[in-house]
């Protein structure tokens, strides 16, 4: 039933008058007054989800990272399968035929030089019969080439369709402190925090990858260093403190680079000799080491790693996203490109 305008006005006035005569309703409760559901109780008290999260979030990072990876892989698999089906229907071919056109047909035969080089390198692990050994090497190289072509086809299809994963990745909230050595501008859109051990061979192996990332991303990337000396390495703790002592004289990165280039030489006497080569003031450097002036800083970094559940090196946080181990350049590149794509496009300047 539609009310005419006069009737509507009369009803509105009546309602207003009634509200004015009745008690005013209580204001809605504030956010602080809203009680969360309890996830545990003890002695008449409760532990809420937010209280648990405040303590356990970092320790849950690895598990949440694994969940995110599974979801990411499944989502891209679904998109890839659908895109293949669409492409096959458009061309009027079967999926096996589409695979042959995009992968098998392009594989070809491995180069003779490549076969010969692998035969020579792994001869002791191959069958003694030369023809059989060559056949195994050719089979291995063809399988590797097919895997590379499959991955390239997948990347091209997904990129061409504008595939983007919209779920938010898990992140750890770890700040770069004023005393943390870093390369790159503080306002860079991408920050990599490296937890590292100067005597860890994998930490040394990853350094060229980090250099390559700095060259590619320039001022868009900041790399910060946190100490995680492992007990298994005899001089790792000393090296961590020595690098920070060098940092007191503005030479952290010079000492950092020397240590990773000379991992087998790291020992107190060699590091002190290197300090002289690096133009550090020896007496000041020695005083810092003897007083263990940087021990507290190293302890803070180790505690931060422990809170994240990081027990091995190297480990990285890329804008808070965990990458463990000496991963290839492409693993970092994938996360960095995703982070850049997630950031808002800056407004055009007038």
């Amino acid at each position: 039933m539609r009310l005419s305008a006069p009737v509507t006005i009369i009803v509105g006035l009546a309602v207003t008058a009634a509200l004015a005569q009745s008690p005013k309703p209580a204001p809605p409760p504030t956010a602080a007054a809203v009680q969360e559901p309890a996830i545990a109780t003890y002695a008449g008290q409760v532990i809420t989800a937010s209280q648990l999260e405040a303590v356990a979030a970092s320790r849950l990072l690895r598990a949440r990272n694994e969940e995110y990876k599974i979801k990411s892989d499944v989502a891209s698999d679904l998109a890839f399968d659908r895109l293949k089906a669409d492409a096959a229907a458009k061309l009027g071919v079967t999926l096996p035929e589409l695979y042959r056109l995009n992968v098998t047909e392009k594989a070809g035969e491995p180069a003779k030089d490549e076969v010969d080089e692998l035969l020579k390198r792994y001869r002791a692990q191959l069958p003694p019969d030369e023809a059989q050994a060559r056949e195994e090497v050719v089979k291995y190289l063809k399988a590797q080439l097919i895997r590379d072509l499959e991955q390239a086809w997948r990347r091209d299809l997904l990129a061409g369709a504008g595939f983007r994963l919209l779920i938010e990745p898990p992140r750890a909230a770890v700040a770069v402190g004023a005393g943390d050595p870093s390369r790159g501008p503080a306002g860079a859109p991408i920050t990599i925090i490296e937890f590292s051990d100067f005597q860890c061979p994998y930490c040394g192996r990853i350094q060229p990858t980090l250099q390559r990332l700095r060259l590619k991303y320039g001022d868009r990337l900041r790399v910060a260093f946190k100490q995680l000396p492992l007990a298994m390495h005899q001089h790792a703790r000393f090296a961590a403190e020595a690098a920070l002592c060098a940092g007191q004289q503005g030479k952290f990165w010079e000492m950092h680079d020397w240590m990773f280039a000379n991992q087998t030489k790291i020992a107190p006497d060699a590091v002190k000799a290197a300090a002289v080569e690096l133009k550090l003031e020896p007496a000041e450097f020695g005083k810092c080491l003897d007083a263990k002036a940087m021990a507290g800083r190293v302890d803070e970094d180790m505690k931060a790693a422990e809170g994240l559940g990081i027990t091995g090196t190297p480990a990285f946080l890329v804008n808070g996203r965990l990458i463990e181990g000496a991963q290839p350049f492409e693993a970092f590149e994938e996360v960095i490109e995703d982070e850049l794509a997630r950031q808002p496009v800056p407004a055009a300047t007038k």
Side-chain angles (χ1 to χ4, degrees), residues 2 22 36 39 54 65 72 120 158 160 235 238 300 317 326 329:
R2 173 181 288 179
S22 63
E36 294 180 58
I39 61 166
N65 208 43
S72 173
K120 182 179 179 181
L158 292 174
H235 299 300
F238 170 84
E300 287 175 9
L317 297 174
F329 174 86

Side-chain angles (χ1 to χ4, degrees), residues 1 15 36-37 41 51 75 77 86 96 118 144-145 194 224-225 227 229 237 247 307 344:
M1 179 180 69
V15 171
E36 294 180 58
T41 61
Q51 290 170 341
D77 286 346
D86 291 345
L118 250 65
Q144 188 177 57
L145 181 57
E194 175 187 4
F225 192 94
Q227 311 284 350
R237 174 75 192 216

Side-chain angles (χ1 to χ4, degrees), residues 46-161:
V46 299
I47 298 173
T48 66
S50 62
Q51 290 170 341
L52 182 74
E53 190 71 14
V55 176
S58 293
R59 292 161 59 188
L60 290 169
L61 181 63
R62 183 179 282 108
R64 288 171 175 168
N65 208 43
E66 185 62 26
E67 180 187 12
Y68 175 81
K69 186 179 185 305
I70 292 170
K71 290 178 177 178
S72 173
D73 290 345
V74 171
S76 61
D77 286 346
L78 287 170
F80 183 47
D81 288 344
R82 293 172 185 178
L83 289 167
K84 285 189 296 183
D86 291 345
K90 187 175 180 180
L91 292 173
V93 299
T94 63
L95 284 173
E97 177 64 9
L98 185 73
Y99 182 87
R100 185 188 69 79
L101 292 171
N102 286 276
V103 179
T104 313
E105 193 175 87
K106 297 179 180 180
E109 295 294 323
K112 182 179 181 301
D113 290 347
E114 193 175 9
V115 174
D116 291 342
E117 198 275 331
L118 250 65
L119 268 172
K120 182 179 179 181
R121 186 187 305 175
Y122 298 107
R123 192 65 192 87
Q125 302 169 38
L126 292 166
D129 181 75
E130 186 68 22
Q132 188 180 354
R134 181 171 290 274
E135 183 181 348
E136 285 198 13
V137 168
V138 169
K139 183 179 178 181
Y140 167 78
L141 289 173
K142 286 184 73 172
Q144 188 177 57
L145 181 57
I146 284 175
R147 282 196 302 271
D148 291 343
L149 287 167
E150 285 176 346
Q151 291 173 3
W153 182 33
R154 180 190 185 98
R155 284 195 303 269
D156 290 345
L157 268 183
L158 292 174

Side-chain angles (χ1 to χ4, degrees), residues 58-59 174 195 226-229 237 295-310:
S58 293
R59 292 161 59 188
V174 177
F195 287 89
K226 287 185 181 287
Q227 311 284 350
L228 185 54
R237 174 75 192 216
R297 289 262 302 278
V298 175
D299 289 340
E300 287 175 9
D301 288 354
M302 295 177 70
K303 185 176 180 181
E306 182 183 1
L308 295 168
I310 295 173

Side-chain angles (χ1 to χ4, degrees), residues 62 193-207 225-233 236 240 260 263 301-302 305-306 309-316 322-327 332:
R62 183 179 282 108
I193 298 177
E194 175 187 4
F195 287 89
S196 199
D197 173 326
F198 285 113
Q199 285 195 300
C200 161
Y202 296 102
C203 298
R205 192 176 302 171
I206 199 68
Q207 297 309 307
F225 192 94
K226 287 185 181 287
Q227 311 284 350
L228 185 54
L230 303 179
M232 70 178 71
H233 297 138
F260 278 128
Q263 286 186 303
D301 288 354
M302 295 177 70
E306 182 183 1
I310 295 173
T311 56
T313 55
F316 305 87
L322 180 64
I323 296 179
E324 295 185 280
Q327 298 296 324
F332 290 89

Side-chain angles (χ1 to χ4, degrees), residues 7 55 63 87-88 113 123 130 135 156 174 192 213-214 241-242 244 260 263 277 279 284 290 296 309 316 336 338:
V7 173
V55 176
D113 290 347
R123 192 65 192 87
E130 186 68 22
E135 183 181 348
D156 290 345
V174 177
I192 296 178
L213 289 169
R214 293 200 306 271
E241 294 182 22
L244 292 172
F260 278 128
Q263 286 186 303
E277 295 175 19
K279 310 298 183 188
E284 184 180 341
D290 293 342
F316 305 87
I336 290 172
D338 183 59

